[in-house]
Amino acid sequence: LDFSTNINNDASSITVAREDLAGVSDIFIKNLKQDEQGKYIVGVDYPTYFTIMETCSVGATREKLWLAFNNRAYPANDPVLKKIIALRDQRAKMVGFSSYAALEIDDEMAKTPARVKEFLGNLLSKTDVKMAQEIDLLKKHLPAGVELTEQGQFKPWDFAYVKAEYKRTHLAFDEEALKEYFSMQHTIDQLLAIYEQFLG
């Protein structure tokens, strides 16, 4: 609970100028708060984070937000996480398991961490070729301003943007445009209607 609360209460943000939000819709930007200098305050909540990572064409903005998002609740959660790991290990060994993973998986179909590892390894080997093809395709169609690392890899803050930009450019699919068809109230009403049918 402490771990989750620390993340939920994290109010980290970055501040950027209007030009640093190039590619982001005007409607989205209008809903952002501004500081005294008129810069936009971009928080680390999920809707804001994913919108910026997928639509902002400014790499420096994506990098700053990625770093802020991935450092939520740090350093507050560092000792909490260490305590969680230690207590889980202690709990597992108290009831005769070699690890917390073994305890957690014991009543599942896989039964052991070794079988899970084997299953995932087999799955990975079957998807490697297709994944490599898709990564190569994205590398051949890099948007302006995106560069690979010296090792030919994507920077972590660029990958979501590259994928979204490929969909927009080559597949004529824009998730932001799709959202217009799913207004919040209409979506809630339809979900509740499905539950009403399901539950009678």
Side-chain angles (χ1 to χ4, degrees):
L1 285 173
D2 289 345
F3 188 87
S4 298
T5 300
N6 288 340
I7 290 177
N8 292 335
N9 290 342
D10 191 297
S12 297
S13 63
I14 64 169
T15 54
V16 293
R18 176 64 183 85
E19 59 268 22
D20 295 326
L21 292 170
V24 182
S25 75
D26 291 333
I27 295 171
F28 182 85
I29 293 172
K30 282 180 186 175
N31 289 317
L32 294 174
K33 293 179 181 176
Q34 291 178 272
D35 65 12
E36 298 81 17
Q37 289 76 40
K39 289 192 173 185
Y40 290 90
I41 301 169
V42 181
V44 293
D45 58 282
Y46 282 99
T48 302
Y49 176 75
F50 287 113
T51 298
I52 298 296
M53 297 309 286
E54 292 177 357
T55 63
C56 183
S57 61
V58 182
T61 301
R62 295 193 308 270
E63 180 180 0
K64 283 170 62 177
L65 187 60
W66 183 86
L67 288 168
F69 181 83
N70 283 285
N71 281 288
R72 288 169 300 154
Y74 181 81
N77 266 349
D78 188 46
V80 178
L81 182 59
K82 288 175 180 171
K83 186 175 181 180
I84 289 170
I85 292 169
L87 288 173
R88 284 180 171 181
D89 186 61
Q90 181 184 353
R91 175 185 173 199
K93 289 178 176 160
M94 284 175 70
V95 290
F97 289 89
S98 60
S99 67
Y100 184 73
L103 169 63
E104 277 292 289
I105 203 73
D106 182 63
D107 61 351
E108 303 292 337
M109 188 185 300
K111 289 293 181 193
T112 68
R115 287 189 69 189
V116 172
K117 190 173 182 179
E118 180 187 358
F119 171 77
L120 293 176
N122 289 337
L123 190 62
L124 184 61
S125 67
K126 291 173 183 173
T127 58
D128 268 349
V129 174
K130 179 64 175 167
M131 182 178 69
Q133 289 172 348
E134 292 187 1
I135 294 292
D136 286 342
L137 183 66
L138 292 175
K139 286 179 179 179
K140 289 175 185 170
H141 296 92
L142 291 177
V146 174
E147 295 179 358
L148 301 175
T149 66
E150 291 180 4
Q151 295 77 31
Q153 304 297 316
F154 286 103
K155 295 169 188 162
W157 49 85
D158 287 338
F159 195 64
Y161 175 70
V162 171
K163 284 196 305 182
E165 189 64 17
Y166 182 86
K167 288 179 188 177
R168 286 188 288 268
T169 306
H170 299 281
L171 305 178
F173 179 75
D174 187 348
E175 292 190 21
E176 290 301 308
L178 183 67
K179 289 177 185 176
E180 295 174 17
Y181 296 94
F182 293 91
S183 65
M184 180 65 76
Q185 193 55 53
H186 176 73
T187 303
I188 291 171
D189 292 343
Q190 294 303 310
L191 282 171
L192 290 175
I194 292 169
Y195 277 114
E196 286 174 5
Q197 291 177 3
F198 183 70
L199 299 172

